[in-house]
Amino acid sequence: MSVRSRVFGRRRSVGSLAVERDAFAAEVRDELALDLPDEDLAEDPQDCLDFYRPGSKPRCEELEYLQMLREARDRIARHD
């Protein structure tokens, strides 16, 4: 196998990377959905954070909820 085919043969297309990124984001959202009720979870964790109304949950639940959303958002961002 030539060096050229080893180096260039493994490059992924932009479409392939987008599919992989979307699949990973869906996996993270699915994991989050196991811990949160449906009404607390939008398609994107960042949307949940953007539209969250402070004080709409008991304080201890609010902190845990926001932390879970931030962690999910950060995991998705790191994967990009």
Side-chain angles (χ1 to χ4, degrees):
M1 179 179 275
S2 72
V3 171
R4 182 179 177 91
S5 65
R6 278 185 278 157
V7 172
F8 295 107
R10 292 186 181 167
R11 279 185 20 193
R12 294 185 233 159
S13 69
V14 173
S16 168
L17 291 174
V19 168
E20 182 181 317
R21 182 185 62 238
D22 291 345
F24 181 77
E27 182 180 317
V28 171
R29 285 190 303 270
D30 288 345
E31 290 173 9
L32 196 58
L34 293 174
D35 294 325
L36 297 175
D38 290 341
E39 64 270 6
D40 285 344
L41 188 60
E43 183 65 24
D44 182 23
Q46 185 60 51
D47 288 345
C48 293
L49 290 167
D50 291 342
F51 297 115
Y52 180 72
R53 290 186 339 258
S56 63
K57 295 187 179 305
R59 180 91 174 129
C60 60
E61 288 180 23
E62 182 175 65
L63 294 175
E64 183 179 10
Y65 173 73
L66 294 173
Q67 181 180 4
M68 290 171 66
L69 290 173
R70 288 183 189 117
E71 288 173 359
R73 177 200 57 199
D74 294 346
R75 281 181 61 201
I76 292 170
R78 281 193 307 268
H79 190 267
D80 287 345

